[in-house]
Every structure is written in C-alpha cells, then in structure tokens.
Amino acid sequence: MALDTTNPHESHRNDNGSQSTDMAPTTGFARALDVLEKPRRVALVGNPNTGKTTLFNKLTGFRHRVGNYPGVTVDKRTGFIRGGADGPPIEVMDLPGTYSLAAGARDEAVVLDVLLGNDTKQPRPDIIVCVVDASNLARNLFLTTQILELGRPVVVALNMIDVAERHGIQIDVEAFAHDLGVTVVPIVANKGLGVSDVKAAIINALHRGVKSRCTDFPACVCAELDGLCETLADGGTCPDPEATRVQAMQTLLGPGGYHESRMIERCGRGFADELAERRERITQSGENVVELEARVRYAWIDRVLSDTVIKSDKRRRSTTDRIDRITTHPLAGLVVLFCIMATCFQAIYTWAGPLMDAVDSVFAVVGESIAQWMPEGALQSLIVNGVVAGVGGVLIFLPQILILFFFIAILEDCGYMARAAFLLDRWMRMFGLGGKSFIPLLSSFACAVPGVMATRTIEDRRDRFVTMLIAPLMSCSARLPVYVLMIAAFVPDKPLLGRWLNLQAVTLLGMYVLGVAVAIPAAIILKKTVFNGGPVQSFLMELPTYKRPSLRTAFHRMYEQGHAFVINAGTVIVAVSIIIWALAYYPRSATVTAETQAHREQVHAAYDAKLATIATTLTPGSDAGTFILSPPIADALAEIHAMEEAITQTHEESEHEHAEHDTAEDHDAIDPEIVTAMERRGPAGRAALAVHHAQTVRDDELARVDHEQSGAYLRQSALGYMGRLIEPIVKPLGWDWRIGMAAIASFPAREIVVATMGTIYNLGADQDETSHGLRQKMQAATWPDGRPVFNMPVAMSIMVFFALCCQCAATLATIRRETASWRWPFLTFSYMTGLAYIAAAFTYQVLSRLS
Amino acid sequence: MPDTLKSMTPKHTTDTHSGNDHRRLAQLAASEVGIVVGIETEETNAKRLADLGFVPGVRIQMVRRGTPCIVLLDGTRIGLGKEHQRAIWTAPASPPHAAGA
C-alpha cells in the first residue's frame, strides 16, 4: 500500500500519543463505565475542499442523517462508527468547512460554537479529527493550530497524501506528529486508504487524556488574554479553561468579528470597553491586533514544516492551470459557462418530463382509488383534494430538483462551481451582489427553497439577504404549468422569423427572462435602500484543484438535498394545501346539496322513463328492470361495450393524445360499425342501441351535475366569497372573481392554480395544463355581459402575475427559518406581490388597448 | 467601534508604501511573484485575509489579473476581488536593487 511508505511506524504514532498524555490513567473498569455512560462524540473539522465530507462518508459508510444545528439552519451531518470490535458506537459529526475559528459566514460560526460547547443543547465533542490537505499543509495547519488549543484529543488526518507526493512534497510523518503532539494519520480519503487507521486512532484517542498545546504568543498578548479569560470565566460563559482561552483569543484578536459581537451581547457594554483597552495596550506594545494571530501561527507552522517537509519544486504547469486558462478567461470562460448551463437545463427539462408525468399519474390513480374506496364526504375530500393533492404537488417537482442538484453536486465536486462564481463576480457586482450569489440563484430556477438555503455560504450578511429576497423571482418549475396552460390556450402557434422560432416558445422564454430582468433592478434597489451602508465585501474564494467528480458523492448529495426539500417544503405545502382546501370546502350550502340532489333524481327519472318506453315498444307490458337483463338485450349491450372499448384502444394506440378527447367529445355520435352490427341483430339490437344511448346521456348529465355541484359549492365557500370580495381589485388586471379566487387558492404553491381553475370552471379538480377540456371551458368562460373572460391580454396578465408573485408558502417559510425573523418573508411577499400586480395590470392595459 | 481599534499600524499606511517599491497586489503583472508586506483594510476583512495566509513575508504569484484576480498562495489558487487586491501590499520577490533597506 502506498501509505506504508509515508508512514511505516504505526507503533511510533502511538508512542507519540502517550507522550502528550498527562492525565492520570483511569482504570479499565472506570473507563468502561465512562464509555457506557455517555455516547462519545467525534467532530470532523477542516478547511473547505480538504475531503472532509469524503472521509466522513467513508467512516460512516454513507449512513448518516442530516439535521440542523439548533437555532441555525446549517446542515448538521451525524453518523456512527463502531468503537472497536465490541465497543459502543461513536457519534461522528461533519462540521462545515472553515479556514479559521474566527467566523465569517453563517455556517462557519457553527464550527466554533459546536467545538466550544456554546450550544447548550449538545455536549462538546470528545475528540476532534482535523482533516488537512497534505499538498497544501501550511494554510491548512492554521486551523489545526487553533484546534490544538481546545483541550480535546486531536487526530490529524493528512489527506491527499498521494497528490502531495506527486507534487514532490515529502512529509516526515513521525517528526510532524511529534511537533504537533498528536496522532497523525496519512490517508487518501477518496480511495478509502487509511480510513481504518483514522478509526483506530479515534478509538485510541478516546482512552487517552490530552495536554493542550498552545502556540507561543508575545508576552503582552498572553497577559491580556489571561485577563480576558478571567472576565469570561466570571461571566460563566465557557465550560473549561481551554475553551475559555480560545473564546477569549478569538474575541480579543478578531475586532469587529462574530465572536466580539457575541460576547459583547452576552457580557454587556462594559465588556466592549475592556476589550478596547486591552487591544489598545497590545497596539501600544507594537503589535498589530488584526494580523497578530496569523503572524504568530504561520511563523510556528513555518518552523514545523521546515523541519518535517521537503518540497522539491516539481511544480510544472498543472492540468488545473491549463483548464483554468480557458474556464477563468473573461470571455472564453463565459462561453464555457453558458454551454454548461445550457446543457444542464436541456437535460433537466428532457429527463424530468417523463418522470413528472409518472409522478402525476401515480397521484391521480391514488386519488381516484381513495375516492372510490372511501365514502363521499368531508373526510374523503380532505384526503383526496387536501392531502393527496398537496403531497402530489410537492413530489411533482422532485425530478427537476433532483436532476439539478445532481448537476450542481457534480460541478461543485469537480471544482468548477468556484470558477463560475469567480467569472460571474464582476457581472454580479454591477447589481450589488457577489459571485457567490450565483449558485443560490441558479438553484432557484428549479425551486427557490434550496436556493434560499444555499445562501448560507455567502459571508456578507447584506449580500446574503438580497440574494434570498430576489431568489424567488427566478422562474421556478412551479410556474411552468401555469405558463403551459395559458400559452397553449391563448397564445397563437405562429411562426416567427421564418420557421426558427414560434410565438409560443418566445412567450415561454420571455417569462423566464422577465424574472431575471426584474431581479436585477430589485437587487440594486434593495442594496441601495434596505441593505445600505457598511463595508463592501469583496470576492474571496479558493479555486480548488480540479478533480474527477465522484458519482457516488453526487448521488448522495442529490438524495440529501431532495430529502431536505421534501421535508422542509413538503410539510409547509401540504399544511397550507389543507387550509386552502378547508376554505374551498366550507361552508357547504345545503341549498346547493338539495338542488343538485333534485337535479340528479330528475336525470334518473328521465332515464327510467326512456327505458320504459323502449321496453314497451319492443315487448308491450314488460318491466324495464327485467327487460334490460333479458338475454338478447344484455348480449347486445355487452357487444356494444366490447366494440367501443376496442375502438378506443385502437384510437389510443394510433393517436395517443387526441383519441381520448375525440371519443369524449363525440360521445353521442356512435361508431357506424357498432350501428351495423346492431342492425344485424334486428329489433333487439336497435333497442340495445337506444338503451345505450339513454345510458350515455344519463351518465353525461350526472357528470355535468357533479361538476356543477362542485362549482356551486366553491362559489358558496369562504374562498369563493374572498374571490368576489377582491374582484374590484383584480379588475384592472382583466381578471374576474374566479381568477382572483384561483390566485388566492394558489398561495401555498403556484401550480395549484391549474387545479383550482379546473374546479371553478366546473370540471372537477383532475385538470392539468394539457387538458383540452379546461382549455375549452376557459375559452368559453364569459363575463355576465357575455364578453369572454379569457383572451390573450388576460392570459398574459395571469402569466406575468405568476412569474413575479411570491405565491409559495414553502419559500416564505424557508426565508423565515434562514433569517429567524418574519420581517423578511413579509417583505419578500409584499414587494413581489406589489411588483406582480403592477406588472400584470400594465401588461393587460397595454395589450388590451393594442388588440 | 472606536478608531483606536483600526487595524492599521503606522508601518502599514499608504505613506510608507509610496516611498519604496511596495505595490498593491492589483499592480502585479501576470505571473509576477511578490512578497506580502502588509494588509491595509477594514478589520474583519484584514483578519480574514491574514488567517487565510496573507501574512507579511509570504510569497504570492499573480496567476490571472483582473477583477477578481487569481493569485497562487502556497500552492492554492485564491480569487480576490477589488478591495482585497487594493488591501494587500507587496514587495518585489527578487528586488533588482536592495529594496527599502
């Protein structure tokens, strides 16, 4: 094994470990008890791109769960490893990647909080595994030296040792471990080499005490640190001396940083003054407070590395440099980026389509079978129209979201995403954002929920909030059904520019462009008003070495993100769907029930009368009930049904799309083949034809009554009332109360508007955007004075409204969680709804005057 | 925040840099190597850069000029925006004649 050459002295490493032990060895029995009493916890820390998560996955065998750190929504991955042959399981946490304990971004702040046990809900980790990139030791060791002072056993995993060797970097692991005073394990995480050694080192370290090692700071700093430790200890904020010291150092040497504001918040104004005095004294002794920590630590690191690492300068023009020449080129890079994005989106729409149809039909079948199986009533309606429809409405987007996440995972894993952010930084600056806003906004084209969550990596709070607030303007997949319905029904399929484009496709593209076009000024305005002032956070991002992406990791990330989406967005959408269902269901008008019941009885009576007439004409004096069951008639009827079925089937096979609708529309016109077959049967055949016709008429009538009833219920419901209430408001948009009502009903999620319109136009809720029935009904809908409700301007105004509005409870709930305040979701909803209203009104007014 | 907490010590003011051959990172030519002599910016940004390894004495190479630019620091490519490029002061790696004294 390649690793043996770099670390032949397994036993020596253990010696090393015991050198740093200064706690009294506990007896085996007490130790066993201790282990039994509390679960042991290991935290994995390291810089970004060091293979920390890869090691985590290998340690836990990809079996782990993703949760949140209390209070903040940074993903917290935890899994278990077996503690030795018969030992108890050890919990492993994968902490977000960070360069320093002085936190910048939100997810970095979590690291120190977890390591110091600031977070009271979970105990401090017992062991810390520091993952460092062996080919990049100096910069990686900065964090390691901070970690070494925490007073916890540390295992250093020297990852990518193979890459380091290829770059001509030789590390004397023994000497290195000796200088650091901890166990050092060389590994190649992506190949799984050395992972078992890490496991062994963790278990080994559990049974040893530790002496924390401190980097030597100048005497004046140490004095101030000691003083500050006393203040903090008096405040009772930290669990032990080491933790207190680390907290004190980060507070003292990080002016204006996260820890400073946190401690001032906790210890009060007097603390700020004390801090200022102490820093002043350090400055007077000729030290620079800001650079001090870095200077001291890097000096120590340089000393260690000069003794333990030999660098033969073998660095040639690497592959990464060659790729970067193109991908980071201001012009060629943009072309490459555009090609990659175009490929991704093309793939998303091509692959997701069939999967979405599949999800849709599964839920349609589930809904139908529940509807048949359960007795009709409120509960059935709740389950079918509330729960099943709600869950279906969430899962329909899963294919697109999963595929997008897969691509993002691949692009991130291979190192390209950092280049995309780098390349777009100067363009994003123009509207007040940075390159790091690109990935969240890109994700938002599938769904704004993961987009909003992805803003966590943006350090600048104002950039992060602006990105979050404009992310819902990107045309997400939930808008597509609305666009498709409206475009298919009201935008003519006219060719443009020869046969290259057509009006429908251009309209669809226009809707996507609209979101981006509005997002740009929105970002500029938000940045100039609500998020004004403060220093500019300029671009700062590591561009990692390119590497072959791991499919397994990509699938894994896709699964994780998909899971998070279903849980986070799903619960909200389902909950709000149920509320909207209730608004649309209640109050049930008894008059409507009675009226439609009477109507139904009339239909049945008419059918019975017809049947009786047919029966008496054929065999006078016979009873209608026995007549229909008599052999010649029953046989003939069975034949008609069989023939009809066969005809429908051949139609479906030959012309899948249209056959259904043709047969549905031409119900009355019976196929000539059937007529001839019946004629051959004589009078019985003709009678059967008449019976069949009567049945068809009855069934159609009953279906119509059902639809009318659901439409009437909806009109009488709370939602219908609300729709009529807002009619004057939506009139400038060219909408009638039914569209207004559909807009209210679609608050949980935009796509619901299609189903709601189906119900409102008396078609039953099982409508989708391709239903010809809904299209025709909408085209036929009229105002009370007979003018058609829907025309091109109205359709455009609906599309523009839904392109810009924030009709998505899940997004708002996610913004609430990410910002820990109702203020931002409220602002998002109001500015987007305002914009949507104005833009839709403008569209309608202009278009209706033009046409 | 009181002014006394500003990160700049006298040796890092513009005046000192203008007298010798110290240049801002932004002024480095493509593939030119420089040695970091100081960081001159607002505290949190300065601390971030320092923690990342931009400490006095370290060698950096300009890989791609522009805003943002790419520099090579100890084998790592780091993208740096305008303000950071202005904040980092460098001295020539192999000065043609004894620099600064």
Side-chain angles (χ1 to χ4, degrees):
Chain A
M1 198 169 75
L3 292 180
D4 288 339
T5 56
T6 45
N7 181 31
H9 303 287
E10 174 77 24
S11 58
H12 187 96
R13 287 207 322 250
N14 293 339
D15 294 349
N16 246 326
S18 46
Q19 277 173 11
S20 59
T21 307
D22 76 342
M23 267 165 71
T26 43
T27 65
F29 178 66
R31 208 160 61 197
L33 265 186
D34 196 32
V35 167
L36 278 178
E37 269 166 16
K38 49 180 184 184
R40 294 315 188 111
R41 301 157 61 86
V42 177
L44 286 187
V45 296
N47 290 12
N49 311 311
T50 46
K52 200 165 45 65
T53 303
T54 312
L55 174 64
F56 176 77
N57 286 337
K58 296 271 155 131
L59 278 174
T60 58
F62 281 90
R63 280 183 301 275
H64 60 259
R65 56 199 173 80
V66 182
N68 280 330
Y69 293 99
V72 290
T73 49
V74 172
D75 285 344
K76 173 179 140 187
R77 291 190 181 77
T78 47
F80 287 93
I81 54 175
R82 299 296 308 174
D86 51 350
I90 300 167
E91 190 181 354
V92 193
M93 281 185 284
D94 184 18
L95 294 179
T98 182
Y99 292 103
S100 163
L101 291 183
R106 178 103 184 246
D107 53 348
E108 293 173 338
V110 166
V111 176
L112 189 58
D113 285 344
V114 169
L115 293 179
L116 286 181
N118 284 346
D119 163 0
T120 46
K121 286 197 192 106
Q122 52 183 21
R124 290 176 66 188
D126 301 291
I127 293 190
I128 302 164
V129 176
C130 230
V131 187
V132 297
D133 175 357
S135 60
N136 207 337
L137 262 185
R139 294 191 43 260
N140 275 253
L141 283 180
F142 182 84
L143 178 66
T144 310
T145 60
Q146 290 181 325
I147 298 292
L148 288 175
E149 293 167 9
L150 279 166
R152 282 288 190 254
V154 174
V155 172
V156 171
L158 209 52
N159 194 16
M160 298 188 248
I161 196 88
D162 55 338
V163 179
E165 276 172 18
R166 248 182 286 140
H167 287 186
I169 299 169
Q170 292 287 335
I171 302 163
D172 181 347
V173 178
E174 284 172 55
F176 184 61
H178 181 263
D179 283 355
L180 257 55
V182 295
T183 311
V184 175
V185 187
I187 63 168
V188 183
N190 55 1
K191 291 180 186 149
L193 300 179
V195 173
S196 54
D197 295 344
V198 174
K199 222 178 261 192
I202 291 171
I203 293 161
N204 215 345
L206 269 179
H207 302 301
R208 281 202 317 266
V210 69
K211 180 185 178 184
S212 84
R213 204 204 55 79
C214 289
T215 319
D216 296 322
F217 277 84
C220 66
V221 180
C222 289
E224 299 304 335
L225 268 180
D226 291 342
L228 200 61
C229 283
E230 273 171 36
T231 316
L232 288 180
D234 290 346
T237 47
C238 284
D240 59 47
E242 285 95 351
T244 310
R245 197 181 143 86
V246 170
Q247 179 76 70
M249 185 184 294
Q250 292 305 326
T251 311
L252 182 67
L253 301 181
Y258 166 77
H259 300 290
E260 181 192 83
S261 49
R262 218 189 124 99
M263 285 298 126
I264 290 177
E265 202 177 285
R266 200 174 276 192
C267 307
R269 228 17 251 179
F271 184 78
D273 297 337
E274 181 189 337
L275 213 52
E277 280 165 31
R278 292 189 187 282
R279 284 181 189 147
E280 179 60 27
R281 280 198 290 273
I282 294 176
T283 313
Q284 270 162 11
S285 69
E287 291 288 351
N288 178 332
V289 175
V290 174
E291 287 172 18
L292 186 78
E293 191 188 356
R295 194 176 56 75
V296 172
R297 289 189 193 281
Y298 278 111
W300 185 83
I301 292 166
D302 281 347
R303 269 202 310 282
V304 169
L305 293 186
S306 66
D307 292 343
T308 57
V309 175
I310 306 161
K311 274 191 192 178
S312 64
D313 215 357
K314 226 165 60 176
R315 230 189 89 81
R316 293 158 286 120
R317 276 187 59 80
S318 67
T319 319
T320 295
D321 284 329
R322 276 195 293 274
I323 301 175
D324 266 353
R325 268 184 85 83
I326 301 164
T327 51
T328 62
H329 187 277
L331 214 74
L334 283 181
V335 175
V336 172
L337 177 70
F338 180 81
C339 291
I340 292 177
M341 291 304 125
T343 316
C344 289
F345 276 89
Q346 180 62 38
I348 288 169
Y349 289 114
T350 318
W351 297 344
L355 290 170
M356 291 172 86
D357 291 346
V359 173
D360 204 23
S361 45
V362 165
F363 276 89
V365 169
V366 169
E368 269 167 36
S369 45
I370 291 178
Q372 273 167 15
W373 170 75
M374 280 183 73
E376 213 164 297
L379 189 63
Q380 185 225 46
S381 177
L382 168 67
I383 291 180
V384 175
N385 300 326
V387 180
V388 175
V391 173
V394 175
L395 294 187
I396 186 104
F397 299 112
L398 208 51
Q400 283 197 351
I401 288 169
L402 289 181
I403 299 173
L404 181 80
F405 283 148
F406 177 77
F407 281 121
I408 290 181
I410 291 274
L411 290 175
E412 228 159 47
D413 199 26
C414 73
Y416 183 74
M417 272 308 185
R419 270 74 182 181
F422 169 84
L423 212 55
L424 290 172
D425 186 69
R426 47 196 207 120
W427 303 98
M428 308 282 266
R429 295 258 158 224
M430 290 182 187
F431 27 96
L433 294 176
K436 287 190 181 174
S437 300
F438 171 67
I439 298 170
L441 294 177
L442 178 71
S443 304
S444 301
F445 276 102
C447 177
V449 171
V452 168
M453 291 196 285
T455 60
R456 286 170 198 162
T457 55
I458 304 171
E459 294 100 359
D460 188 306
R461 183 180 164 275
R462 290 165 306 138
D463 276 12
R464 177 163 182 250
F465 277 48
V466 173
T467 311
M468 228 184 274
L469 264 54
I470 64 163
L473 279 172
M474 304 297 119
S475 247
C476 67
S477 48
R479 283 154 165 122
L480 201 57
V482 184
Y483 298 158
V484 170
L485 171 69
M486 293 297 158
I487 289 178
F490 302 104
V491 177
D493 189 5
K494 258 198 320 215
L496 280 184
L497 298 174
R499 59 178 57 173
W500 290 105
L501 288 169
N502 79 45
L503 192 58
Q504 292 190 332
V506 170
T507 312
L508 184 62
L509 184 68
M511 288 300 136
Y512 277 85
V513 174
L514 178 69
V516 179
V518 170
I520 292 173
I524 295 174
I525 292 168
L526 281 171
K527 204 68 197 269
K528 290 239 163 91
T529 54
V530 188
F531 301 100
N532 194 19
V536 181
Q537 265 281 357
S538 124
F539 187 78
L540 179 60
M541 198 176 195
E542 184 178 333
L543 305 177
T545 310
Y546 287 109
K547 66 180 176 72
R548 185 195 300 275
S550 145
L551 273 185
R552 183 161 183 191
T553 309
F555 277 117
H556 194 72
R557 288 242 356 234
M558 177 180 99
Y559 165 77
E560 272 182 14
Q561 303 249 37
H563 185 79
F565 168 79
V566 171
I567 300 303
N568 298 336
T571 43
V572 177
I573 295 180
V574 170
V576 184
S577 300
I578 291 172
I579 295 172
I580 295 289
W581 165 84
L583 286 178
Y585 192 84
Y586 295 105
R588 296 247 110 172
S589 151
T591 346
V592 174
T593 320
E595 269 172 20
T596 42
Q597 198 47 44
H599 204 150
R600 258 189 221 115
E601 274 156 18
Q602 275 172 22
V603 174
H604 281 293
Y607 169 72
D608 288 343
K610 257 189 217 164
L611 206 60
T613 324
I614 299 165
T616 35
T617 356
L618 200 70
T619 40
S622 77
D623 169 58
T626 46
F627 162 75
I628 199 166
L629 294 172
S630 64
I633 303 292
D635 280 357
L637 278 175
E639 197 189 343
I640 295 177
H641 285 298
M643 286 182 77
E644 267 190 341
E645 223 154 87
I647 290 167
T648 319
Q649 227 160 34
T650 47
H651 269 265
E652 267 176 11
E653 276 161 20
S654 61
E655 213 182 332
H656 180 78
E657 261 297 294
H658 295 102
E660 278 177 72
H661 303 290
D662 289 349
T663 45
E665 282 154 23
D666 315 335
H667 236 31
D668 295 341
I670 196 138
D671 197 278
E673 267 181 58
I674 300 177
V675 177
T676 16
M678 286 303 114
E679 290 290 348
R680 249 183 268 130
R681 279 179 180 253
R686 275 194 294 276
L689 265 183
V691 170
H692 178 72
H693 180 75
Q695 279 173 345
T696 317
V697 170
R698 178 198 59 182
D699 293 345
D700 284 356
E701 278 290 300
L702 284 178
R704 206 171 54 78
V705 172
D706 279 349
H707 291 321
E708 256 166 26
Q709 183 186 21
S710 54
Y713 276 140
L714 198 53
R715 275 191 290 275
Q716 305 275 336
S717 69
L719 197 63
Y721 177 74
M722 285 156 81
R724 280 196 296 271
L725 199 69
I726 65 158
E727 187 167 21
I729 304 172
V730 298
K731 206 119 188 207
L733 279 60
W735 300 4
D736 71 347
W737 68 271
R738 287 173 288 198
I739 308 175
M741 176 168 110
I744 299 175
S746 63
F747 171 70
R750 297 172 184 85
E751 70 281 5
I752 292 174
V753 76
V754 175
T756 317
M757 286 209 179
T759 313
I760 300 168
Y761 290 103
N762 301 350
L763 283 160
D766 54 340
Q767 293 303 315
D768 65 40
E769 66 277 9
T770 49
S771 301
H772 289 228
L774 176 54
R775 237 182 259 175
Q776 281 160 1
K777 279 275 181 169
M778 278 171 40
Q779 282 158 343
T782 56
W783 289 96
D785 61 8
R787 281 180 300 124
V789 171
F790 285 95
N791 50 26
M792 217 267 275
V794 173
M796 291 299 280
S797 116
I798 292 174
M799 276 194 281
V800 168
F801 184 86
F802 277 93
L804 300 180
C805 70
C806 194
Q807 300 279 81
C808 181
T811 302
L812 294 172
T814 311
I815 296 178
R816 158 74 182 80
R817 273 191 315 134
E818 294 289 322
T819 59
S821 147
W822 278 111
R823 201 170 146 200
W824 306 114
F826 181 75
L827 176 69
T828 311
F829 182 75
S830 28
Y831 102 83
M832 285 183 65
T833 308
L835 260 179
Y837 181 85
I838 294 167
F842 178 79
T843 310
Y844 174 72
Q845 297 300 339
V846 169
L847 286 179
S848 58
R849 274 174 181 74
L850 284 178
S851 55
Chain B
M1 191 66 46
D3 278 341
T4 46
L5 294 190
K6 282 277 177 198
S7 72
M8 286 160 252
T9 55
K11 65 173 181 172
H12 284 159
T13 57
T14 322
D15 287 301
T16 341
H17 291 300
S18 60
N20 47 39
D21 53 1
H22 291 178
R23 283 180 300 158
R24 296 181 192 272
L25 174 63
Q27 291 164 301
L28 250 58
S31 76
E32 187 182 348
V33 177
I35 291 176
V36 174
V37 289
I39 301 168
E40 189 187 278
T41 182
E42 160 279 333
E43 290 157 337
T44 43
N45 269 335
K47 169 88 174 139
R48 238 182 132 62
L49 285 171
D51 286 3
L52 263 179
F54 290 95
V55 282
V58 79
R59 288 165 67 94
I60 53 176
Q61 185 182 12
M62 177 66 84
V63 176
R64 184 181 282 286
R65 284 177 53 90
T67 341
C69 71
I70 304 177
V71 295
L72 198 62
L73 165 73
D74 187 42
T76 312
R77 289 162 200 80
I78 298 174
L80 291 174
K82 190 164 128 200
E83 282 71 26
H84 293 318
Q85 290 186 57
R86 288 179 53 81
I88 300 172
W89 282 91
T90 66
S94 46
H97 45 82

